[in-house]
Amino acid sequence: MTTENAERLTIGEVAQAAGVAATTLRYYEREGLLSPTDRSRAGYRLYDDGAVERLEFVRAAQAVGFTLDDIRALLELNGDSPCKEVQALIERRLTEVDEKLADLTRVRSTLADALQRCRKSKKGCAVVADLKRKRGKRRSK
Amino acid sequence: MTTENAERLTIGEVAQAAGVAATTLRYYEREGLLSPTDRSRAGYRLYDDGAVERLEFVRAAQAVGFTLDDIRALLELNGDSPCKEVQALIERRLTEVDEKLADLTRVRSTLADALQRCRKSKKGCAVVADLKRKRGKRRSK
DNA sequence: ATACACCTTACACCTACATGTAAGGTCAAG
DNA sequence: CTTGACCTTACATGTAGGTGTAAGGTGTAT
């Protein structure tokens, strides 16, 4: 597939562009996360370039802890959904994201503190002690 | 186990305090994340209350996407490690955390934007369109 | 002294998220 | 017109992070 059609990408091209394996794209299709817009005569999957953006959104959301199920739910939202439900879902997700941000910030400051002390002391650095002393509210999903 | 010894907690007590299953604690022990400080005559695991803090750190770190392996590495750091290595590890983790913060912030603003539009429009809300338009740099771990 | 909730080990099983493998079809280049 | 990189499907396997189950011991309340 070297014919630069400038609108229809094969699975390999999309995969390369987004930095995932082609097999992963087929998997995402089965899971309803991203379908090719078309097929070639031979049955090859053909994607438009929006697919790459969408895929990048999926990966970013995944990197911060959303499951594929969560992400599918977000991606499935469209003009046909009753606005109430859409709003509620988005609000729930926002709350989750904010909790994650709080956790992450906490972990970050633990690490930063540990690094500080580590730099200060000529000798070994008791990071474990630091970690053990750190506190925070519960989160379990 | 109802005897309040005020320093030695059984697995069930720790589990309850931290909001995880006792089986999970045994699993963490096998994985080297958290060991009881002692055993009773009968072989019951006995933890000091630092265990709860430690466990909370584990869960918070996990909630924001660290693997148990990552977390073990952090927790294993101690005064015996050469400071150079310790620093390097912490620095690497800090970088990861900052990348996660960036991703998370991006996802957050996508959601917030979507919610805005959703509130504005009387009718359906094209969230998918929003998501597709959002961009960001690669992250795949 | 017996019920009952808790603990022990060992091992099988589960879900999410892929990845690999086999068996075959497609297509542009040499 | 064949080579070799790509694509197809279907199915098996792998890893992380647990959960469940069986078979048995513990400890305290009644």
Side-chain angles (χ1 to χ4, degrees), chain B residues 76-89:
Chain B
E76 266 166 7
L77 299 174
N78 64 51
D80 300 335
S81 318
C83 202
K84 280 288 171 54
E85 284 179 24
V86 172
Q87 278 197 28
L89 174 56

Side-chain angles (χ1 to χ4, degrees), chain A residues 24 27-28 42 44 59 62 67-68:
Chain A
T24 300
Y27 173 67
Y28 284 178
Y44 285 23
R59 303 300 278 188
Q62 211 182 6
T67 66
L68 296 187

Side-chain angles (χ1 to χ4, degrees), chain B residues 3 21 24 27-28 42 44 59 62 67-68:
Chain B
T3 34
T24 301
Y27 173 67
Y28 284 178
Y44 285 24
R59 302 301 276 190
Q62 211 183 6
T67 65
L68 295 187

Side-chain angles (χ1 to χ4, degrees), chain B residues 1 3 24 38 49 67 93 100 103 130 135 139:
Chain B
M1 241 343 119
T3 34
T24 301
D38 207 357
D49 49 4
T67 65
R93 293 317 182 205
K100 276 180 199 302
D103 274 352
D130 277 34
R135 294 261 3 205
R139 276 253 29 203

Side-chain angles (χ1 to χ4, degrees), chain B residues 27-44:
Chain B
Y27 173 67
Y28 284 178
E29 184 178 354
R30 280 208 306 288
E31 299 301 309
L33 285 163
L34 177 62
S35 298
T37 40
D38 207 357
R39 292 278 184 148
S40 73
R41 276 151 297 128
Y44 285 24

Side-chain angles (χ1 to χ4, degrees), chain A residues 99-119:
Chain A
E99 279 166 359
K100 275 180 200 302
L101 275 170
D103 276 349
L104 202 43
T105 302
R106 199 159 65 74
V107 168
R108 191 192 192 289
S109 84
T110 300
L111 289 176
D113 286 2
L115 190 55
Q116 273 287 287
R117 301 200 183 204
C118 189
R119 285 197 172 125

